[in-house]
Amino acid sequence: MRPAELKRLTVQESADRYLELVRAKTVTGALSPATAEVYARDVATFVRLAGAEGVLDDLTGEDVDAVLLAFARKPDGRRSSPGGESQSPSSQSRFRRSVSAFFKYATVAGWVQVDPMTAATVTAKERGGLRAERRALTREQAQGLVGAARSLTAAEPEGGRRDQRTEVRDALIVLLLSTLGPRVSELVRANVEDFYTNDGVRYWRIFGKGGKTRDVPLPHDVAEVLDAYLSGGRPATSEKALLLSWRGRRLARGDVQAVIDRVQRRIDPAQRRSVTPHGLRHTTATHLLADAVDMDAVRRVLGHSDLSTLGRYRDELPGELEVAMRAHPLLRRPASGE
C-alpha cells in the first residue's frame, strides 16, 4: 500500500535507494549478480538521460518516452562499429523492463504518485532477428575458430616475456565458449576449484542464473587444454579465478570479447565472421541440435530450466532444410528382410 505522504526525491536519490534494494536482493539470493548488474547499469543510464537533479515525481510519460528514444539512439558500446550502431530491439526492450521495474518500486515506496510508465508509448520494434555477430556461426566458421584456438596451444611464442604469454588461456576461453556455450558471466566467474574429475572425466560445475548449478562434462580435447593451462599457462597466484590476466587479475566480460577477436585474426578471412560470446552460445545450441543431440541434454548444457527456451538459441543454418528433406525418415527404404 502506498504511503500517505509523497517523498519528493531527486532522480539520483531514488535511483541510489532502489539500487541498495537490488544489492540486498543479491545477498539473499532473490536476484542473481548478473541480473543485478544489468539493473544497476540500466538505472544509471536512466539517471543520466533523465537528469539526476530533477524530482522523480515530476517526470511524465512524455519524459520517459524521451529517455527511451534517447537510449534507442545511443551507440551500442559493446561492439565497435564504423557506423555507430544504435541499440538493438532486444537491448531497448531490456532497458524498458529495467526502468519499468524501477518505477514500479518507486510507486510502492511513495516516490511517485502515478507510475509514468503507464503513459509511456515508445516500445522497441519486435525482434526480427539477431545482429550478425550474435547469430550462430556456420559449421565451417565455427570449425575455423576452434581450429585457430587449437593452433594456439602448439604455436611458437611471438615474442614477449614468458610470464606474459596468454596463448593457452585464450585457446581455453574460445573452446569453452564454442563447445559448452556458457554465459559470459558464468565463464568469468569460474574458479579453479569448479573443475573436477570423476571416473576419468573432467567436469565443470557451472554456477548459473538464480543460484542454480549444473555439472557439465568437458570434451576430451577441451579437458586437455584446461590441464595444460592449469599446469603451466596460468599465472602462479593465490587468486582462485580460473581466467586471469598475466598480471593475475580475474578477467572481465569485455576481456573475453577481446580474446575472441584476437583468435579470429588467425583465421582465413574467407572463413571468418565477427561473433560475440553470446553468439558462441547460439553456436553451441544450434550445432548440438542440428546433430540430433537430445534436446534435454542441450538444455542441461546451456543451463535452462525449460525446453521451450532453446527455441531462442536455435538459429537457421544454410542448407539445413535441403539436408533434412534428402534424409526424410518416411522415405527411407526399409532394410532387406523387414
Side-chain angles (χ1 to χ4, degrees):
M1 193 170 183
R2 189 159 64 240
E5 290 189 14
L6 178 73
K7 301 183 183 72
R8 287 184 61 78
L9 302 178
T10 66
V11 173
Q12 185 67 68
E13 288 170 339
S14 54
D16 290 343
R17 294 192 187 187
Y18 174 68
L19 292 178
E20 283 180 12
L21 170 75
V22 168
R23 284 188 286 270
K25 285 189 172 184
T26 64
V27 174
T28 62
L31 279 180
S32 72
T35 301
E37 181 185 339
V38 169
Y39 280 162
R41 186 172 66 243
D42 285 343
V43 170
T45 300
F46 175 80
V47 170
R48 287 196 301 274
L49 296 176
E53 299 307 315
V55 175
L56 188 69
D57 187 53
D58 289 344
L59 295 180
T60 65
E62 289 183 355
D63 294 324
V64 172
D65 278 344
V67 168
L68 295 176
L69 284 170
F71 177 80
R73 294 169 180 147
K74 192 166 83 69
D76 187 346
R78 293 174 302 176
R79 299 286 295 163
S80 56
S81 165
E85 185 179 356
S86 58
Q87 300 294 321
S88 68
S90 59
S91 292
Q92 294 176 49
S93 295
R94 186 212 68 234
F95 180 71
R96 197 181 202 282
R97 287 195 299 272
S98 295
V99 174
S100 182
F102 169 52
F103 272 113
K104 185 177 292 186
Y105 182 78
T107 305
V108 173
W111 305 340
V112 294
Q113 298 179 74
V114 178
D115 183 350
M117 293 299 294
T118 60
T121 59
V122 172
T123 56
K125 182 178 70 173
E126 285 298 315
R127 174 172 149 187
L130 293 167
R131 294 195 305 277
E133 67 269 18
R134 288 173 68 85
R135 289 202 311 267
L137 297 178
T138 65
R139 186 175 294 268
E140 181 184 41
Q141 291 164 345
Q143 288 175 336
L145 182 61
V146 167
R150 280 173 164 164
S151 72
L152 283 173
T153 61
E156 289 295 323
E158 299 178 358
R161 289 167 40 182
R162 182 178 182 84
D163 63 353
Q164 294 182 11
R165 295 176 192 162
T166 60
E167 292 90 351
V168 180
R169 183 207 66 189
D170 291 356
L172 178 63
I173 288 172
V174 169
L175 290 173
L176 287 173
L177 287 170
S178 301
T179 60
L180 302 185
R183 301 173 179 90
V184 67
S185 58
E186 296 170 343
L187 182 66
V188 297
R189 285 203 306 267
N191 295 326
V192 173
E193 64 192 18
D194 300 336
F195 293 81
Y196 66 94
T197 302
N198 185 27
D199 288 337
V201 178
R202 273 294 220 172
Y203 286 85
W204 176 12
R205 176 160 292 168
I206 302 176
F207 292 84
K209 294 174 71 174
K212 296 178 181 176
T213 62
R214 61 190 189 277
D215 291 10
V216 181
L218 304 186
H220 179 70
D221 290 1
V222 180
E224 285 189 336
V225 176
L226 171 68
D227 291 337
Y229 172 64
L230 293 177
S231 62
R234 182 176 178 273
T237 174
S238 59
E239 168 63 56
K240 61 184 181 179
L242 173 71
L243 301 174
L244 300 171
S245 69
W246 65 267
R247 294 180 183 275
R249 174 184 61 82
R250 183 187 288 270
L251 292 193
R253 298 162 69 108
D255 298 325
V256 173
Q257 183 64 61
V259 167
I260 296 171
D261 293 342
R262 187 159 57 244
V263 176
Q264 286 270 27
R265 289 196 285 272
R266 303 176 66 89
I267 305 174
D268 183 329
Q271 200 177 6
R272 183 193 310 160
R273 203 199 77 206
S274 177
V275 68
T276 63
H278 196 73
L280 292 178
R281 186 165 164 82
H282 278 257
T283 299
T284 299
T286 296
H287 290 287
L288 287 177
L289 291 170
D291 275 10
V293 174
D294 179 70
M295 287 184 67
D296 190 59
V298 179
R299 175 191 67 78
R300 290 159 59 196
V301 167
L302 295 182
H304 287 303
S305 56
D306 194 332
L307 276 174
S308 63
T309 312
L310 284 181
R312 297 210 312 264
Y313 291 89
R314 171 67 167 93
D315 293 339
E316 292 183 12
L317 292 171
E320 64 179 348
L321 293 182
E322 290 78 4
V323 170
M325 289 301 99
R326 283 200 299 271
H328 201 294
L330 298 182
L331 298 179
R332 292 176 192 155
R333 295 183 183 279
S336 59
E338 287 186 5

mmCIF file with all atom_site columns, all heavy atoms in Angstrom, residues 6-29:
data_model
loop_
_atom_site.group_PDB
_atom_site.id
_atom_site.type_symbol
_atom_site.label_atom_id
_atom_site.label_alt_id
_atom_site.label_comp_id
_atom_site.label_asym_id
_atom_site.label_entity_id
_atom_site.label_seq_id
_atom_site.pdbx_PDB_ins_code
_atom_site.Cartn_x
_atom_site.Cartn_y
_atom_site.Cartn_z
_atom_site.occupancy
_atom_site.B_iso_or_equiv
_atom_site.pdbx_formal_charge
_atom_site.auth_seq_id
_atom_site.auth_comp_id
_atom_site.auth_asym_id
_atom_site.auth_atom_id
_atom_site.pdbx_PDB_model_num
ATOM 1   N N   . LEU A 1 6  ? 3.907  11.790  0.036   1.00 0.00 ? 6  LEU A N   1
ATOM 2   C CA  . LEU A 1 6  ? 4.810  11.603  -1.093  1.00 0.00 ? 6  LEU A CA  1
ATOM 3   C C   . LEU A 1 6  ? 6.214  12.075  -0.719  1.00 0.00 ? 6  LEU A C   1
ATOM 4   O O   . LEU A 1 6  ? 6.374  13.130  -0.103  1.00 0.00 ? 6  LEU A O   1
ATOM 5   C CB  . LEU A 1 6  ? 4.300  12.407  -2.297  1.00 0.00 ? 6  LEU A CB  1
ATOM 6   C CG  . LEU A 1 6  ? 5.169  12.359  -3.556  1.00 0.00 ? 6  LEU A CG  1
ATOM 7   C CD1 . LEU A 1 6  ? 5.035  11.003  -4.218  1.00 0.00 ? 6  LEU A CD1 1
ATOM 8   C CD2 . LEU A 1 6  ? 4.779  13.471  -4.511  1.00 0.00 ? 6  LEU A CD2 1
ATOM 9   N N   . LYS A 1 7  ? 7.210  11.299  -1.048  1.00 0.00 ? 7  LYS A N   1
ATOM 10  C CA  . LYS A 1 7  ? 8.608  11.682  -0.818  1.00 0.00 ? 7  LYS A CA  1
ATOM 11  C C   . LYS A 1 7  ? 9.150  12.262  -2.124  1.00 0.00 ? 7  LYS A C   1
ATOM 12  O O   . LYS A 1 7  ? 9.315  11.536  -3.104  1.00 0.00 ? 7  LYS A O   1
ATOM 13  C CB  . LYS A 1 7  ? 9.433  10.466  -0.398  1.00 0.00 ? 7  LYS A CB  1
ATOM 14  C CG  . LYS A 1 7  ? 8.960  9.774   0.874   1.00 0.00 ? 7  LYS A CG  1
ATOM 15  C CD  . LYS A 1 7  ? 9.895  8.628   1.236   1.00 0.00 ? 7  LYS A CD  1
ATOM 16  C CE  . LYS A 1 7  ? 9.400  7.886   2.457   1.00 0.00 ? 7  LYS A CE  1
ATOM 17  N NZ  . LYS A 1 7  ? 8.205  7.071   2.182   1.00 0.00 ? 7  LYS A NZ  1
ATOM 18  N N   . ARG A 1 8  ? 9.424  13.553  -2.129  1.00 0.00 ? 8  ARG A N   1
ATOM 19  C CA  . ARG A 1 8  ? 9.895  14.198  -3.354  1.00 0.00 ? 8  ARG A CA  1
ATOM 20  C C   . ARG A 1 8  ? 11.419 14.050  -3.466  1.00 0.00 ? 8  ARG A C   1
ATOM 21  O O   . ARG A 1 8  ? 12.193 14.971  -3.187  1.00 0.00 ? 8  ARG A O   1
ATOM 22  C CB  . ARG A 1 8  ? 9.470  15.667  -3.381  1.00 0.00 ? 8  ARG A CB  1
ATOM 23  C CG  . ARG A 1 8  ? 7.964  15.821  -3.653  1.00 0.00 ? 8  ARG A CG  1
ATOM 24  C CD  . ARG A 1 8  ? 7.562  17.269  -3.779  1.00 0.00 ? 8  ARG A CD  1
ATOM 25  N NE  . ARG A 1 8  ? 8.206  17.986  -4.873  1.00 0.00 ? 8  ARG A NE  1
ATOM 26  C CZ  . ARG A 1 8  ? 7.855  17.900  -6.155  1.00 0.00 ? 8  ARG A CZ  1
ATOM 27  N NH1 . ARG A 1 8  ? 6.859  17.078  -6.526  1.00 0.00 ? 8  ARG A NH1 1
ATOM 28  N NH2 . ARG A 1 8  ? 8.485  18.603  -7.068  1.00 0.00 ? 8  ARG A NH2 1
ATOM 29  N N   . LEU A 1 9  ? 11.820 12.871  -3.890  1.00 0.00 ? 9  LEU A N   1
ATOM 30  C CA  . LEU A 1 9  ? 13.238 12.581  -4.058  1.00 0.00 ? 9  LEU A CA  1
ATOM 31  C C   . LEU A 1 9  ? 13.686 12.975  -5.454  1.00 0.00 ? 9  LEU A C   1
ATOM 32  O O   . LEU A 1 9  ? 12.904 12.944  -6.408  1.00 0.00 ? 9  LEU A O   1
ATOM 33  C CB  . LEU A 1 9  ? 13.502 11.089  -3.849  1.00 0.00 ? 9  LEU A CB  1
ATOM 34  C CG  . LEU A 1 9  ? 13.093 10.486  -2.496  1.00 0.00 ? 9  LEU A CG  1
ATOM 35  C CD1 . LEU A 1 9  ? 13.386 9.004   -2.508  1.00 0.00 ? 9  LEU A CD1 1
ATOM 36  C CD2 . LEU A 1 9  ? 13.835 11.169  -1.367  1.00 0.00 ? 9  LEU A CD2 1
ATOM 37  N N   . THR A 1 10 ? 14.972 13.284  -5.582  1.00 0.00 ? 10 THR A N   1
ATOM 38  C CA  . THR A 1 10 ? 15.512 13.521  -6.920  1.00 0.00 ? 10 THR A CA  1
ATOM 39  C C   . THR A 1 10 ? 15.653 12.182  -7.633  1.00 0.00 ? 10 THR A C   1
ATOM 40  O O   . THR A 1 10 ? 15.592 11.108  -7.012  1.00 0.00 ? 10 THR A O   1
ATOM 41  C CB  . THR A 1 10 ? 16.892 14.201  -6.860  1.00 0.00 ? 10 THR A CB  1
ATOM 42  O OG1 . THR A 1 10 ? 17.831 13.297  -6.257  1.00 0.00 ? 10 THR A OG1 1
ATOM 43  C CG2 . THR A 1 10 ? 16.838 15.497  -6.063  1.00 0.00 ? 10 THR A CG2 1
ATOM 44  N N   . VAL A 1 11 ? 15.871 12.256  -8.930  1.00 0.00 ? 11 VAL A N   1
ATOM 45  C CA  . VAL A 1 11 ? 16.071 11.035  -9.720  1.00 0.00 ? 11 VAL A CA  1
ATOM 46  C C   . VAL A 1 11 ? 17.271 10.267  -9.183  1.00 0.00 ? 11 VAL A C   1
ATOM 47  O O   . VAL A 1 11 ? 17.222 9.035   -9.029  1.00 0.00 ? 11 VAL A O   1
ATOM 48  C CB  . VAL A 1 11 ? 16.272 11.392  -11.211 1.00 0.00 ? 11 VAL A CB  1
ATOM 49  C CG1 . VAL A 1 11 ? 16.642 10.154  -12.018 1.00 0.00 ? 11 VAL A CG1 1
ATOM 50  C CG2 . VAL A 1 11 ? 15.014 12.048  -11.783 1.00 0.00 ? 11 VAL A CG2 1
ATOM 51  N N   . GLN A 1 12 ? 18.351 10.981  -8.869  1.00 0.00 ? 12 GLN A N   1
ATOM 52  C CA  . GLN A 1 12 ? 19.555 10.330  -8.354  1.00 0.00 ? 12 GLN A CA  1
ATOM 53  C C   . GLN A 1 12 ? 19.311 9.688   -6.995  1.00 0.00 ? 12 GLN A C   1
ATOM 54  O O   . GLN A 1 12 ? 19.721 8.537   -6.757  1.00 0.00 ? 12 GLN A O   1
ATOM 55  C CB  . GLN A 1 12 ? 20.695 11.339  -8.243  1.00 0.00 ? 12 GLN A CB  1
ATOM 56  C CG  . GLN A 1 12 ? 22.033 10.720  -7.833  1.00 0.00 ? 12 GLN A CG  1
ATOM 57  C CD  . GLN A 1 12 ? 22.589 9.793   -8.890  1.00 0.00 ? 12 GLN A CD  1
ATOM 58  O OE1 . GLN A 1 12 ? 22.971 10.239  -9.967  1.00 0.00 ? 12 GLN A OE1 1
ATOM 59  N NE2 . GLN A 1 12 ? 22.621 8.501   -8.613  1.00 0.00 ? 12 GLN A NE2 1
ATOM 60  N N   . GLU A 1 13 ? 18.647 10.405  -6.090  1.00 0.00 ? 13 GLU A N   1
ATOM 61  C CA  . GLU A 1 13 ? 18.387 9.865   -4.753  1.00 0.00 ? 13 GLU A CA  1
ATOM 62  C C   . GLU A 1 13 ? 17.532 8.598   -4.825  1.00 0.00 ? 13 GLU A C   1
ATOM 63  O O   . GLU A 1 13 ? 17.799 7.608   -4.136  1.00 0.00 ? 13 GLU A O   1
ATOM 64  C CB  . GLU A 1 13 ? 17.677 10.910  -3.897  1.00 0.00 ? 13 GLU A CB  1
ATOM 65  C CG  . GLU A 1 13 ? 18.561 12.077  -3.464  1.00 0.00 ? 13 GLU A CG  1
ATOM 66  C CD  . GLU A 1 13 ? 17.768 13.204  -2.828  1.00 0.00 ? 13 GLU A CD  1
ATOM 67  O OE1 . GLU A 1 13 ? 16.531 13.282  -3.079  1.00 0.00 ? 13 GLU A OE1 1
ATOM 68  O OE2 . GLU A 1 13 ? 18.366 13.997  -2.090  1.00 0.00 ? 13 GLU A OE2 1
ATOM 69  N N   . SER A 1 14 ? 16.492 8.634   -5.637  1.00 0.00 ? 14 SER A N   1
ATOM 70  C CA  . SER A 1 14 ? 15.609 7.465   -5.735  1.00 0.00 ? 14 SER A CA  1
ATOM 71  C C   . SER A 1 14 ? 16.342 6.288   -6.379  1.00 0.00 ? 14 SER A C   1
ATOM 72  O O   . SER A 1 14 ? 16.160 5.137   -5.968  1.00 0.00 ? 14 SER A O   1
ATOM 73  C CB  . SER A 1 14 ? 14.347 7.816   -6.530  1.00 0.00 ? 14 SER A CB  1
ATOM 74  O OG  . SER A 1 14 ? 14.683 8.364   -7.785  1.00 0.00 ? 14 SER A OG  1
ATOM 75  N N   . ALA A 1 15 ? 17.195 6.577   -7.371  1.00 0.00 ? 15 ALA A N   1
ATOM 76  C CA  . ALA A 1 15 ? 17.955 5.504   -8.007  1.00 0.00 ? 15 ALA A CA  1
ATOM 77  C C   . ALA A 1 15 ? 18.917 4.870   -7.007  1.00 0.00 ? 15 ALA A C   1
ATOM 78  O O   . ALA A 1 15 ? 19.051 3.631   -6.957  1.00 0.00 ? 15 ALA A O   1
ATOM 79  C CB  . ALA A 1 15 ? 18.728 6.051   -9.209  1.00 0.00 ? 15 ALA A CB  1
ATOM 80  N N   . ASP A 1 16 ? 19.576 5.691   -6.203  1.00 0.00 ? 16 ASP A N   1
ATOM 81  C CA  . ASP A 1 16 ? 20.505 5.162   -5.197  1.00 0.00 ? 16 ASP A CA  1
ATOM 82  C C   . ASP A 1 16 ? 19.786 4.249   -4.210  1.00 0.00 ? 16 ASP A C   1
ATOM 83  O O   . ASP A 1 16 ? 20.283 3.175   -3.854  1.00 0.00 ? 16 ASP A O   1
ATOM 84  C CB  . ASP A 1 16 ? 21.186 6.308   -4.443  1.00 0.00 ? 16 ASP A CB  1
ATOM 85  C CG  . ASP A 1 16 ? 22.168 7.080   -5.315  1.00 0.00 ? 16 ASP A CG  1
ATOM 86  O OD1 . ASP A 1 16 ? 22.568 6.549   -6.372  1.00 0.00 ? 16 ASP A OD1 1
ATOM 87  O OD2 . ASP A 1 16 ? 22.534 8.215   -4.937  1.00 0.00 ? 16 ASP A OD2 1
ATOM 88  N N   . ARG A 1 17 ? 18.610 4.670   -3.752  1.00 0.00 ? 17 ARG A N   1
ATOM 89  C CA  . ARG A 1 17 ? 17.852 3.850   -2.798  1.00 0.00 ? 17 ARG A CA  1
ATOM 90  C C   . ARG A 1 17 ? 17.376 2.546   -3.439  1.00 0.00 ? 17 ARG A C   1
ATOM 91  O O   . ARG A 1 17 ? 17.400 1.484   -2.811  1.00 0.00 ? 17 ARG A O   1
ATOM 92  C CB  . ARG A 1 17 ? 16.653 4.637   -2.257  1.00 0.00 ? 17 ARG A CB  1
ATOM 93  C CG  . ARG A 1 17 ? 17.043 5.834   -1.403  1.00 0.00 ? 17 ARG A CG  1
ATOM 94  C CD  . ARG A 1 17 ? 15.837 6.396   -0.660  1.00 0.00 ? 17 ARG A CD  1
ATOM 95  N NE  . ARG A 1 17 ? 16.151 7.641   0.038   1.00 0.00 ? 17 ARG A NE  1
ATOM 96  C CZ  . ARG A 1 17 ? 15.316 8.256   0.856   1.00 0.00 ? 17 ARG A CZ  1
ATOM 97  N NH1 . ARG A 1 17 ? 14.112 7.747   1.082   1.00 0.00 ? 17 ARG A NH1 1
ATOM 98  N NH2 . ARG A 1 17 ? 15.665 9.383   1.454   1.00 0.00 ? 17 ARG A NH2 1
ATOM 99  N N   . TYR A 1 18 ? 16.938 2.654   -4.675  1.00 0.00 ? 18 TYR A N   1
ATOM 100 C CA  . TYR A 1 18 ? 16.469 1.452   -5.380  1.00 0.00 ? 18 TYR A CA  1
ATOM 101 C C   . TYR A 1 18 ? 17.613 0.451   -5.565  1.00 0.00 ? 18 TYR A C   1
ATOM 102 O O   . TYR A 1 18 ? 17.425 -0.762  -5.358  1.00 0.00 ? 18 TYR A O   1
ATOM 103 C CB  . TYR A 1 18 ? 15.896 1.856   -6.733  1.00 0.00 ? 18 TYR A CB  1
ATOM 104 C CG  . TYR A 1 18 ? 15.514 0.682   -7.610  1.00 0.00 ? 18 TYR A CG  1
ATOM 105 C CD1 . TYR A 1 18 ? 14.451 -0.151  -7.291  1.00 0.00 ? 18 TYR A CD1 1
ATOM 106 C CD2 . TYR A 1 18 ? 16.238 0.400   -8.770  1.00 0.00 ? 18 TYR A CD2 1
ATOM 107 C CE1 . TYR A 1 18 ? 14.106 -1.233  -8.083  1.00 0.00 ? 18 TYR A CE1 1
ATOM 108 C CE2 . TYR A 1 18 ? 15.898 -0.672  -9.583  1.00 0.00 ? 18 TYR A CE2 1
ATOM 109 C CZ  . TYR A 1 18 ? 14.838 -1.491  -9.231  1.00 0.00 ? 18 TYR A CZ  1
ATOM 110 O OH  . TYR A 1 18 ? 14.499 -2.561  -10.033 1.00 0.00 ? 18 TYR A OH  1
ATOM 111 N N   . LEU A 1 19 ? 18.797 0.948   -5.939  1.00 0.00 ? 19 LEU A N   1
ATOM 112 C CA  . LEU A 1 19 ? 19.918 0.041   -6.169  1.00 0.00 ? 19 LEU A CA  1
ATOM 113 C C   . LEU A 1 19 ? 20.422 -0.575  -4.867  1.00 0.00 ? 19 LEU A C   1
ATOM 114 O O   . LEU A 1 19 ? 20.988 -1.675  -4.888  1.00 0.00 ? 19 LEU A O   1
ATOM 115 C CB  . LEU A 1 19 ? 21.042 0.772   -6.903  1.00 0.00 ? 19 LEU A CB  1
ATOM 116 C CG  . LEU A 1 19 ? 20.684 1.151   -8.350  1.00 0.00 ? 19 LEU A CG  1
ATOM 117 C CD1 . LEU A 1 19 ? 21.817 1.909   -9.016  1.00 0.00 ? 19 LEU A CD1 1
ATOM 118 C CD2 . LEU A 1 19 ? 20.315 -0.084  -9.174  1.00 0.00 ? 19 LEU A CD2 1
ATOM 119 N N   . GLU A 1 20 ? 20.203 0.093   -3.744  1.00 0.00 ? 20 GLU A N   1
ATOM 120 C CA  . GLU A 1 20 ? 20.501 -0.535  -2.449  1.00 0.00 ? 20 GLU A CA  1
ATOM 121 C C   . GLU A 1 20 ? 19.623 -1.768  -2.259  1.00 0.00 ? 20 GLU A C   1
ATOM 122 O O   . GLU A 1 20 ? 20.076 -2.814  -1.779  1.00 0.00 ? 20 GLU A O   1
ATOM 123 C CB  . GLU A 1 20 ? 20.265 0.458   -1.307  1.00 0.00 ? 20 GLU A CB  1
ATOM 124 C CG  . GLU A 1 20 ? 21.361 1.504   -1.139  1.00 0.00 ? 20 GLU A CG  1
ATOM 125 C CD  . GLU A 1 20 ? 21.078 2.454   0.014   1.00 0.00 ? 20 GLU A CD  1
ATOM 126 O OE1 . GLU A 1 20 ? 20.160 2.146   0.815   1.00 0.00 ? 20 GLU A OE1 1
ATOM 127 O OE2 . GLU A 1 20 ? 21.757 3.482   0.098   1.00 0.00 ? 20 GLU A OE2 1
ATOM 128 N N   . LEU A 1 21 ? 18.350 -1.645  -2.644  1.00 0.00 ? 21 LEU A N   1
ATOM 129 C CA  . LEU A 1 21 ? 17.432 -2.778  -2.554  1.00 0.00 ? 21 LEU A CA  1
ATOM 130 C C   . LEU A 1 21 ? 17.883 -3.901  -3.483  1.00 0.00 ? 21 LEU A C   1
ATOM 131 O O   . LEU A 1 21 ? 17.872 -5.082  -3.110  1.00 0.00 ? 21 LEU A O   1
ATOM 132 C CB  . LEU A 1 21 ? 16.016 -2.334  -2.923  1.00 0.00 ? 21 LEU A CB  1
ATOM 133 C CG  . LEU A 1 21 ? 15.001 -3.474  -3.101  1.00 0.00 ? 21 LEU A CG  1
ATOM 134 C CD1 . LEU A 1 21 ? 14.600 -4.039  -1.744  1.00 0.00 ? 21 LEU A CD1 1
ATOM 135 C CD2 . LEU A 1 21 ? 13.773 -3.008  -3.864  1.00 0.00 ? 21 LEU A CD2 1
ATOM 136 N N   . VAL A 1 22 ? 18.284 -3.546  -4.707  1.00 0.00 ? 22 VAL A N   1
ATOM 137 C CA  . VAL A 1 22 ? 18.737 -4.548  -5.675  1.00 0.00 ? 22 VAL A CA  1
ATOM 138 C C   . VAL A 1 22 ? 19.942 -5.311  -5.120  1.00 0.00 ? 22 VAL A C   1
ATOM 139 O O   . VAL A 1 22 ? 20.009 -6.546  -5.197  1.00 0.00 ? 22 VAL A O   1
ATOM 140 C CB  . VAL A 1 22 ? 19.088 -3.868  -7.021  1.00 0.00 ? 22 VAL A CB  1
ATOM 141 C CG1 . VAL A 1 22 ? 19.826 -4.838  -7.938  1.00 0.00 ? 22 VAL A CG1 1
ATOM 142 C CG2 . VAL A 1 22 ? 17.818 -3.359  -7.705  1.00 0.00 ? 22 VAL A CG2 1
ATOM 143 N N   . ARG A 1 23 ? 20.890 -4.575  -4.546  1.00 0.00 ? 23 ARG A N   1
ATOM 144 C CA  . ARG A 1 23 ? 22.070 -5.237  -3.976  1.00 0.00 ? 23 ARG A CA  1
ATOM 145 C C   . ARG A 1 23 ? 21.688 -6.142  -2.812  1.00 0.00 ? 23 ARG A C   1
ATOM 146 O O   . ARG A 1 23 ? 22.251 -7.234  -2.650  1.00 0.00 ? 23 ARG A O   1
ATOM 147 C CB  . ARG A 1 23 ? 23.089 -4.181  -3.528  1.00 0.00 ? 23 ARG A CB  1
ATOM 148 C CG  . ARG A 1 23 ? 23.862 -3.544  -4.689  1.00 0.00 ? 23 ARG A CG  1
ATOM 149 C CD  . ARG A 1 23 ? 24.987 -2.659  -4.186  1.00 0.00 ? 23 ARG A CD  1
ATOM 150 N NE  . ARG A 1 23 ? 24.480 -1.409  -3.638  1.00 0.00 ? 23 ARG A NE  1
ATOM 151 C CZ  . ARG A 1 23 ? 24.298 -0.310  -4.349  1.00 0.00 ? 23 ARG A CZ  1
ATOM 152 N NH1 . ARG A 1 23 ? 24.564 -0.320  -5.646  1.00 0.00 ? 23 ARG A NH1 1
ATOM 153 N NH2 . ARG A 1 23 ? 23.857 0.798   -3.798  1.00 0.00 ? 23 ARG A NH2 1
ATOM 154 N N   . ALA A 1 24 ? 20.726 -5.721  -2.016  1.00 0.00 ? 24 ALA A N   1
ATOM 155 C CA  . ALA A 1 24 ? 20.268 -6.554  -0.896  1.00 0.00 ? 24 ALA A CA  1
ATOM 156 C C   . ALA A 1 24 ? 19.650 -7.852  -1.400  1.00 0.00 ? 24 ALA A C   1
ATOM 157 O O   . ALA A 1 24 ? 19.826 -8.915  -0.799  1.00 0.00 ? 24 ALA A O   1
ATOM 158 C CB  . ALA A 1 24 ? 19.260 -5.781  -0.052  1.00 0.00 ? 24 ALA A CB  1
ATOM 159 N N   . LYS A 1 25 ? 18.940 -7.763  -2.520  1.00 0.00 ? 25 LYS A N   1
ATOM 160 C CA  . LYS A 1 25 ? 18.305 -8.967  -3.076  1.00 0.00 ? 25 LYS A CA  1
ATOM 161 C C   . LYS A 1 25 ? 19.332 -9.970  -3.584  1.00 0.00 ? 25 LYS A C   1
ATOM 162 O O   . LYS A 1 25 ? 19.078 -11.171 -3.592  1.00 0.00 ? 25 LYS A O   1
ATOM 163 C CB  . LYS A 1 25 ? 17.344 -8.579  -4.205  1.00 0.00 ? 25 LYS A CB  1
ATOM 164 C CG  . LYS A 1 25 ? 16.034 -7.967  -3.709  1.00 0.00 ? 25 LYS A CG  1
ATOM 165 C CD  . LYS A 1 25 ? 15.038 -7.802  -4.842  1.00 0.00 ? 25 LYS A CD  1
ATOM 166 C CE  . LYS A 1 25 ? 13.673 -7.372  -4.329  1.00 0.00 ? 25 LYS A CE  1
ATOM 167 N NZ  . LYS A 1 25 ? 12.672 -7.309  -5.398  1.00 0.00 ? 25 LYS A NZ  1
ATOM 168 N N   . THR A 1 26 ? 20.501 -9.482  -4.015  1.00 0.00 ? 26 THR A N   1
ATOM 169 C CA  . THR A 1 26 ? 21.539 -10.426 -4.448  1.00 0.00 ? 26 THR A CA  1
ATOM 170 C C   . THR A 1 26 ? 22.113 -11.174 -3.255  1.00 0.00 ? 26 THR A C   1
ATOM 171 O O   . THR A 1 26 ? 22.481 -12.347 -3.361  1.00 0.00 ? 26 THR A O   1
ATOM 172 C CB  . THR A 1 26 ? 22.677 -9.704  -5.205  1.00 0.00 ? 26 THR A CB  1
ATOM 173 O OG1 . THR A 1 26 ? 23.334 -8.791  -4.321  1.00 0.00 ? 26 THR A OG1 1
ATOM 174 C CG2 . THR A 1 26 ? 22.155 -8.958  -6.416  1.00 0.00 ? 26 THR A CG2 1
ATOM 175 N N   . VAL A 1 27 ? 22.183 -10.512 -2.106  1.00 0.00 ? 27 VAL A N   1
ATOM 176 C CA  . VAL A 1 27 ? 22.712 -11.154 -0.898  1.00 0.00 ? 27 VAL A CA  1
ATOM 177 C C   . VAL A 1 27 ? 21.794 -12.279 -0.455  1.00 0.00 ? 27 VAL A C   1
ATOM 178 O O   . VAL A 1 27 ? 22.245 -13.351 -0.030  1.00 0.00 ? 27 VAL A O   1
ATOM 179 C CB  . VAL A 1 27 ? 22.882 -10.121 0.238   1.00 0.00 ? 27 VAL A CB  1
ATOM 180 C CG1 . VAL A 1 27 ? 23.285 -10.814 1.539   1.00 0.00 ? 27 VAL A CG1 1
ATOM 181 C CG2 . VAL A 1 27 ? 23.917 -9.073  -0.145  1.00 0.00 ? 27 VAL A CG2 1
ATOM 182 N N   . THR A 1 28 ? 20.479 -12.058 -0.561  1.00 0.00 ? 28 THR A N   1
ATOM 183 C CA  . THR A 1 28 ? 19.513 -13.082 -0.133  1.00 0.00 ? 28 THR A CA  1
ATOM 184 C C   . THR A 1 28 ? 19.262 -14.135 -1.201  1.00 0.00 ? 28 THR A C   1
ATOM 185 O O   . THR A 1 28 ? 18.579 -15.119 -0.951  1.00 0.00 ? 28 THR A O   1
ATOM 186 C CB  . THR A 1 28 ? 18.172 -12.420 0.229   1.00 0.00 ? 28 THR A CB  1
ATOM 187 O OG1 . THR A 1 28 ? 17.637 -11.768 -0.943  1.00 0.00 ? 28 THR A OG1 1
ATOM 188 C CG2 . THR A 1 28 ? 18.358 -11.388 1.328   1.00 0.00 ? 28 THR A CG2 1
ATOM 189 N N   . GLY A 1 29 ? 19.796 -13.915 -2.403  1.00 0.00 ? 29 GLY A N   1
ATOM 190 C CA  . GLY A 1 29 ? 19.590 -14.873 -3.489  1.00 0.00 ? 29 GLY A CA  1
ATOM 191 C C   . GLY A 1 29 ? 18.339 -14.630 -4.302  1.00 0.00 ? 29 GLY A C   1
ATOM 192 O O   . GLY A 1 29 ? 18.025 -15.402 -5.201  1.00 0.00 ? 29 GLY A O   1
#
